[in-house]
Amino acid sequence: MDRMNFLSFLLLCLASVASGNKANKHKPWIETEYQGIVMENDNTVLLNPPLFALDKDAPLHYAGEICGFRVHNGPSGSGSVQFEAVVLDRSTGEGLVRSKEPLDCESQREHSFTIQAYDCGEGPDGVNSKKSHKATVHVRVNDVNEFSPVFVERRYEASVPEGRLFDRIVRVEALDADCSPQYSQICFYDIITPNVPFAIDNDGNIKNTEPLDSKRERVYTFWVTAFDCGKNRAQADAQVVVTVKPSCKPGWIGWTKRVEYTPGSGSIPLFPSLHLETCEETVWNIQATVELQTGHIGKGCDRDSYSDRSVRRLCGAVRGEVDLLPPPSPAANWTSALPTLPSSDSSLVFSFNGSNHVAVVPDSVVSALTGDHFTLQLWMRRGGANIQPAATQTRGNRKEEETIVCSTVKNDDSFSHYSLSVHGCRLSLFYWPDVSAARPVKFLWKLEQVCDSEWHHLSLSVQFPSVTLYVDGVTFDPALIHDNGAIPNPAARQRMFIGACWGENLLINANRLQLNVRYVGGYHGLLSGVTVRPGSVEPHSVVECLYACREGLDFGDLETLGSGMKVHVNPSQSVLVLEGDDIESFNRAVQQVTYRNSLRFATPGVRPLKLTTSLRCFNEESCLSLKQLEGYLVVLQPDAPQISLSGVGPHLARPAPEFEGSRGVPLFPELRIVCSLSHAVNTAAQGMEGGALMSDAVAHTLDGCEVQPLGEELNPEREELLVDMDVVRERGLEIINTTAYIAITGAESISVYEDVLRSVRYRLAKGSARFERRFRLSCSEMNGRYTSNELTLEVNFLHSLDSLYHPSHLLASQQQFLHPSHHAGELSGHTLPNPHRNSVVPGAATVIIMVCVGFLVVMVILGVFRIRSIHRRGEGARGGAKEGSSQWDDSALTIIINPMESYESRMGISADTEAEGEEDEEGAESPDDTSDDQRIIIKKEGRDGNARRY
């Protein structure tokens, strides 16, 4: 063999010498694919198969030797950066693959790249070297157990009822960051706290090993640890706290019997901490019904507290309705025989007993209700004053229909007839479009609201053949029934009954036929606010605004409602039903049930509250039964708004002729009305321009103001109060103007009421001898629930001297201003001013009146004469003017000029006393030229020094 090898070698050498320039004829050869493994803490890659490069040019020097390997990017493009290949033996072509930097299995577990071998060429400089094909290398980084387990939570808590064994109380969990399944998995957990009645499995589930007793140990605290499959222990142990609850009683936990609501709060949760405890019983369906009872508040729930007419204006309802059950009065006496009941709101409630309590609407009212398009509205509660159970009323022995309204209406050239009736839980409208030709039609509704003994509002819009029914603002569709049964035979004349319909009996009386009208189908219950408005029907939005409840049950956020949960609220929002199959989702849903009240001034009082729960379990025999929970919602008293009237002084003084003008004098020209919840004064702003400021000012709507004369009523022959009726009609307000008061009603803004009240004027007839008149102004809102302060105004009429001389004034006011004692001896030699020559007083009365007038006028002239005498003496002795006037005290008369001076000083009318003295002197010098601005009151002093006023 050695000889043969030697011969082969010689032959190769000879062949190589013979070939000359063709020494490197072949490319190196390597495997097409390699699989490699490298450890995280090592850089040498173990390849399978090992890395060897062969060259057929061997054993030629250079050409048959492997000089190196080249690493190229793999499919991911990153392999060549982290790895390199080196030649271990050039002659054998053995190579080695290694990483340039430490590898991390957790960041990248596998790498791929290509490798290529090249020979040494034809000489030491590597000329004409050849490369092999590219081989793929796959390297997997083996994990090293370098990480320890870490618990997801540092503290685990659980609560369990006592006396039971549980398969799992709580589950702990730890994670390992190693990349391999061997080191990243948690092989087992361990409780390191000794002597605790708990055990833990390899999945982290903790259970109790014996029944727990809350009296012996209320809370257990222990520690657990975890190990991965490489036996590394957790870095930090976890704490477990188990609370032992007393024996479990299924039911609602966290129920609060009393819930308070502050008006203006919007929506509040009713059960913020309520949750259901099923004591580990598996249930597949839960249903809870929350019921809010508001039947005791007015007519069923909290609605707007304004009057019905004001609410209609606020909601934009069409005007022109006719009240069929008005308050009894001389003008509306057809309701005087009906019994009435007290109501918490402003409406009047009438009671009907089903027999003789019937209201017959007069023909004068019925004649205004023509046409086949109309809207009938009413409040209804079945059963009367003493409410009976609904079952008794619904399924009792009452077979006959109860008629609420029965009417025959005249159309253009025919008569139509309709009647609204109830029977059990059915409401029916019998409509006969033409009593002489067409067949009648009955519209029927089956409604629980008809027989539940609660207040409900019905709005029936008839636009034949279309009929729309709204019950509490919700639309209900009828079922049309062509009535082939008994048909009433209404007379061809207009008539309308409330509470029954008419029937006619033919009686024989004294050999004479007589037609007797009797009542049939009497209604048994309560009615209020029965109105008919002919013409177009109300829009749905208006009806909903008028009678929709402003309070009710609601749900917080439907988007957070868990899967499988359902919520249903009835139209009146008094009943809310929750249904679901998951305990946790159900508890979250219950806590979002809210009470809302959109009224700023909600009606205070108690609303009963009920919660009824039904459960369905997989095991029907052991399913839980929960009792009904009862509580109540208390709506607190709202903060009363303070309505402040200001801007009007306590006195108003004007010359009497201004009041005698055609327009009179405005009483409240600068009236200012402010409504606020708090009238706290901002003391810091008192020194600023504008004075003190009001805080918490809010916008309000007034619904009535009243101007009332104090003392005696207005005399319609001499005085009157005037109001700008254009402003009143433009705003749709109502006004009652009597001699006792002026009442302006209707819900409107403060600015409108200010404009209307500023236009109120007071007018006197010419020649009236009044000297003062007092008025009182007050306003209210919320149907008189909140009232303002009472603003009192005293009006003074300033009369001139000529007006005092005028006999008509003296005749009208002599009893008020003349003292019965006169001194005729001092009045001789003076004449009377010219009296009215057209005055005619018959007999002795004329003589007496003229004598009285003569005495008064003579005394006035005498006083003027004495003033002139004093003035002349004052000119002779200028320094003794005051002394002369003081010495005149012994005389019988004293003249005081401008007796209104003290009042004018109170009103802010300044007058210089010296100027007044000069005016007095001028008046004394020329009594015949006395101006209208001079006013004289004669004061007579007796010998006892007491002044008597004339």
Side-chain angles (χ1 to χ4, degrees):
M1 290 294 295
D2 295 337
R3 185 179 295 178
M4 292 182 65
N5 291 336
F6 179 74
L7 292 175
S8 299
F9 178 74
L10 289 177
L11 291 175
L12 287 173
C13 290
L14 292 173
S16 175
V17 173
S19 62
N21 295 333
K22 296 182 179 180
N24 191 8
K25 296 190 302 182
H26 301 92
K27 295 179 180 181
W29 177 89
I30 58 176
E31 298 286 346
T32 59
E33 185 175 11
Y34 295 89
Q35 300 293 333
I37 298 175
V38 62
M39 301 298 294
E40 278 186 320
N41 55 359
D42 193 6
N43 64 343
T44 300
V45 179
L46 300 178
L47 293 179
N48 182 24
L51 181 58
F52 282 94
L54 301 179
D55 196 318
K56 291 183 179 180
D57 292 326
L60 294 180
H61 192 48
Y62 298 113
E65 295 177 346
I66 303 300
C67 278
F69 296 93
R70 291 181 181 176
V71 177
H72 301 278
N73 289 337
S76 60
S78 61
S80 63
V81 178
Q82 294 176 301
F83 294 90
E84 63 180 358
V86 296
V87 177
L88 298 179
D89 190 344
R90 297 174 62 174
S91 60
T92 60
E94 181 181 1
L96 175 67
V97 176
R98 60 190 179 192
S99 62
K100 298 179 182 179
E101 56 188 21
L103 300 176
D104 188 5
C105 176
E106 286 72 32
S107 61
Q108 186 173 353
R109 191 174 182 180
E110 293 184 352
H111 302 267
S112 295
F113 52 91
T114 59
I115 191 173
Q116 189 177 28
Y118 58 92
D119 57 21
C120 295
E122 298 177 356
D125 54 358
V127 179
N128 293 328
S129 65
K130 295 184 179 295
K131 300 177 183 179
S132 69
H133 62 274
K134 292 181 180 180
T136 303
V137 180
H138 300 283
V139 178
R140 184 178 76 250
V141 181
N142 278 358
D143 187 25
V144 175
N145 194 9
E146 56 184 327
F147 295 101
S148 298
V150 177
F151 281 97
V152 176
E153 303 286 344
R154 295 297 305 273
R155 179 184 174 94
Y156 295 86
E157 296 183 2
S159 298
V160 292
E162 62 181 358
R164 295 176 56 184
L165 292 175
F166 297 91
D167 293 335
R168 187 181 75 174
I169 296 176
V170 65
R171 181 178 181 271
V172 299
E173 183 181 8
L175 302 177
D176 196 302
D178 288 311
C179 66
S180 63
Q182 178 183 2
Y183 300 129
S184 63
Q185 291 183 358
I186 306 301
C187 278
F188 63 93
Y189 296 88
D190 188 21
I191 298 177
I192 60 177
T193 302
N195 303 323
V196 291
F198 298 96
I200 188 170
D201 60 14
N202 293 339
D203 293 327
N205 298 313
I206 298 176
K207 64 179 181 178
N208 57 326
T209 56
E210 61 183 43
L212 304 178
D213 187 356
S214 62
K215 296 179 182 179
R216 184 178 63 184
E217 191 74 30
R218 186 74 174 82
V219 178
Y220 288 91
T221 302
F222 53 92
W223 297 84
V224 297
T225 189
F227 293 89
D228 62 17
C229 294
K231 295 185 178 182
N232 274 359
R233 182 176 172 173
Q235 291 181 354
D237 301 327
Q239 185 184 39
V240 180
V241 179
V242 178
T243 303
V244 182
K245 299 185 297 183
S247 299
C248 179
K249 294 181 180 180
W252 291 102
I253 300 175
W255 169 261
T256 302
K257 189 173 183 179
R258 175 189 173 98
V259 180
E260 291 186 355
Y261 177 79
T262 302
S265 301
S267 298
I268 62 167
L270 290 175
F271 321 112
S273 59
L274 188 65
H275 62 279
L276 181 62
E277 176 61 60
T278 59
C279 297
E280 302 299 327
E281 182 68 36
T282 305
V283 297
W284 63 272
N285 182 266
I286 313 169
Q287 181 173 316
T289 303
V290 184
E291 182 180 357
L292 181 70
Q293 300 178 13
T294 58
H296 65 291
I297 303 173
K299 297 188 179 71
C301 68
D302 214 354
R303 294 181 172 88
D304 280 317
S305 300
Y306 293 104
S307 62
D308 290 342
R309 193 176 298 274
S310 297
V311 173
R312 290 183 60 82
R313 291 188 64 257
L314 293 174
C315 292
V318 182
R319 302 175 185 174
E321 70 274 8
V322 178
D323 193 353
L324 303 181
L325 289 179
S329 65
N333 58 358
W334 69 90
T335 60
S336 58
L338 295 177
T340 59
L341 298 178
S343 175
S344 59
D345 54 14
S346 62
S347 59
L348 196 60
V349 176
F350 294 91
S351 177
F352 295 83
N353 60 1
S355 58
N356 60 342
H357 290 170
V358 180
V360 181
V361 184
D363 295 340
S364 59
V365 177
V366 180
S367 60
L369 306 176
T370 60
D372 56 355
H373 292 180
F374 61 90
T375 299
L376 175 65
Q377 302 188 64
L378 56 96
W379 286 97
M380 179 189 71
R381 187 173 76 167
R382 296 282 299 282
N386 298 323
I387 301 300
Q388 301 176 359
T392 303
Q393 297 181 28
T394 306
R395 302 171 180 83
N397 298 324
R398 297 181 63 87
K399 302 292 184 181
E400 188 180 34
E401 286 189 350
E402 302 177 22
T403 304
I404 300 175
V405 178
C406 186
S407 176
T408 300
V409 182
K410 179 177 176 55
N411 299 325
D412 294 336
D413 53 356
S414 62
F415 289 88
S416 61
H417 177 81
Y418 69 88
S419 62
L420 183 67
S421 306
V422 290
H423 184 202
C425 290
R426 291 177 173 83
L427 178 74
S428 62
L429 174 68
F430 181 84
Y431 190 77
W432 201 344
D434 190 350
V435 298
S436 61
R439 295 287 297 174
V441 178
K442 177 177 283 189
F443 299 86
L444 185 67
W445 296 267
K446 185 176 181 181
L447 303 169
E448 291 295 330
Q449 292 89 335
V450 176
C451 58
D452 62 359
S453 301
E454 301 290 343
W455 277 107
H456 295 284
H457 181 266
L458 276 63
S459 177
L460 194 67
S461 296
V462 178
Q463 197 169 6
F464 192 78
S466 175
V467 176
T468 305
L469 173 67
Y470 299 95
V471 179
D472 298 329
V474 180
T475 311
F476 291 88
D477 297 326
L480 296 179
I481 298 178
H482 292 274
D483 196 337
N484 296 322
I487 299 176
N489 187 20
R493 71 180 184 89
Q494 289 182 325
R495 64 197 319 188
M496 176 178 285
F497 284 10
I498 309 295
C501 200
W502 57 85
E504 297 177 348
N505 289 340
L506 193 63
L507 301 179
I508 300 177
N509 186 8
N511 298 326
R512 186 177 57 176
L513 293 178
Q514 181 181 359
L515 197 63
N516 183 33
V517 179
R518 63 183 180 90
Y519 302 140
V520 296
Y523 171 73
H524 183 263
L526 304 178
L527 293 177
S528 177
V530 183
T531 62
V532 172
R533 183 180 50 77
S536 59
V537 299
E538 297 280 14
H540 184 197
S541 58
V542 173
V543 177
E544 188 176 20
C545 171
L546 286 171
Y547 307 106
C549 290
R550 298 294 187 264
E551 67 172 345
L553 300 173
D554 204 351
F555 191 81
D557 187 3
L558 292 175
E559 295 182 357
T560 62
L561 195 64
S563 60
M565 291 295 304
K566 299 178 182 178
V567 179
H568 173 72
V569 185
N570 67 335
S572 62
Q573 292 189 302
S574 61
V575 178
L576 184 145
V577 180
L578 283 173
E579 187 175 357
D581 53 8
D582 181 68
I583 295 292
E584 295 182 0
S585 299
F586 196 86
N587 287 336
R588 287 194 299 269
V590 168
Q591 294 171 5
Q592 294 193 54
V593 176
T594 61
Y595 167 79
R596 58 132 189 97
N597 196 320
S598 59
L599 291 180
R600 185 176 183 86
F601 305 108
T603 304
V606 177
R607 278 78 161 162
L609 194 63
K610 294 182 180 179
L611 176 61
T612 306
T613 311
S614 63
L615 302 175
R616 294 184 181 181
C617 307
F618 289 102
N619 185 4
E620 293 294 339
E621 296 180 357
S622 62
C623 195
L624 305 176
S625 178
L626 305 182
K627 67 177 183 178
Q628 185 183 68
L629 297 179
E630 296 183 358
Y632 54 92
L633 172 74
V634 180
V635 178
L636 302 178
Q637 184 74 31
D639 293 334
Q642 304 296 323
I643 308 173
S644 175
L645 307 181
S646 61
V648 178
H651 300 281
L652 175 65
R654 293 289 186 276
E658 293 187 17
F659 291 92
E660 296 173 356
S662 60
R663 292 181 54 83
V665 174
L667 295 179
F668 317 107
E670 298 179 356
L671 176 66
R672 184 169 179 263
I673 306 176
V674 175
C675 291
S676 62
L677 289 178
S678 174
H679 277 191
V681 176
N682 186 356
T683 56
Q686 290 186 0
M688 300 171 60
E689 182 179 358
L693 302 177
M694 296 305 211
S695 63
D696 300 332
V698 295
H700 286 265
T701 300
L702 300 180
D703 61 3
C705 288
E706 181 177 287
V707 180
Q708 178 183 5
L710 298 179
E712 60 182 7
E713 296 184 4
L714 298 176
N715 186 347
E717 298 180 358
R718 293 181 176 272
E719 53 186 342
E720 63 179 338
L721 287 173
L722 307 175
V723 183
D724 191 345
M725 296 303 299
D726 293 336
V727 177
V728 175
R729 283 191 294 266
E730 180 183 354
R731 296 296 184 174
L733 300 176
E734 298 181 0
I735 184 171
I736 301 175
N737 194 347
T738 66
T739 59
Y741 62 90
I742 284 185
I744 304 170
T745 58
E748 258 299 348
S749 63
I750 290 177
S751 60
V752 171
Y753 269 94
E754 285 180 339
D755 294 340
V756 174
L757 293 174
R758 288 169 182 170
S759 70
V760 175
R761 295 171 174 266
Y762 178 68
R763 181 176 176 273
L764 277 174
K766 291 185 178 180
S768 299
R770 293 200 65 91
F771 282 82
E772 66 177 8
R773 166 65 87 173
R774 298 173 69 238
F775 295 95
R776 180 172 60 201
L777 171 64
S778 62
C779 295
S780 65
E781 68 171 321
M782 302 299 290
N783 201 28
R785 183 173 171 185
Y786 303 108
T787 58
S788 69
N789 60 310
E790 293 183 351
L791 193 64
T792 303
L793 176 67
E794 181 178 336
V795 181
N796 295 95
F797 314 101
L798 307 181
H799 295 277
S800 65
L801 184 61
D802 285 346
S803 64
L804 287 176
Y805 284 165
H806 204 286
S808 62
H809 288 277
L810 297 174
L811 291 174
S813 60
Q814 59 182 343
Q815 298 299 327
Q816 299 181 13
F817 299 98
L818 287 180
H819 198 276
S821 62
H822 300 275
H823 297 267
E826 299 178 2
L827 301 178
S828 60
H830 298 277
T831 59
L832 289 169
N834 186 26
H836 281 294
R837 296 179 179 178
N838 295 331
S839 301
V840 178
V841 182
T846 304
V847 178
I848 295 173
I849 293 173
M850 294 304 296
V851 170
C852 295
V853 172
F855 275 135
L856 179 60
V857 173
V858 170
M859 292 172 65
V860 172
I861 296 175
L862 180 59
V864 175
F865 175 76
R866 296 298 297 272
I867 292 174
R868 294 183 61 185
S869 301
I870 294 171
H871 181 66
R872 292 192 187 98
R873 280 181 282 175
E875 290 179 352
R878 299 181 181 273
K882 294 183 180 180
E883 296 177 359
S885 62
S886 63
Q887 293 175 358
W888 197 47
D889 290 340
D890 296 334
S891 64
L893 294 176
T894 299
I895 307 300
I896 300 175
I897 306 301
N898 193 4
M900 297 303 295
E901 177 184 357
S902 61
Y903 167 73
E904 290 179 351
S905 63
R906 296 195 307 267
M907 294 298 295
I909 303 175
S910 61
D912 188 90
T913 56
E914 296 181 0
E916 291 179 358
E918 294 175 0
E919 292 177 0
D920 293 344
E921 294 176 357
E922 292 175 0
E925 291 177 356
S926 56
D928 297 334
D929 298 330
T930 304
S931 66
D932 292 341
D933 293 332
Q934 289 177 321
R935 304 163 183 86
I936 299 178
I937 292 180
I938 302 173
K939 184 170 71 175
K940 178 174 176 59
E941 294 184 359
R943 297 186 182 274
D944 56 357
N946 295 327
R948 295 180 177 86
R949 190 173 180 179
Y950 294 86

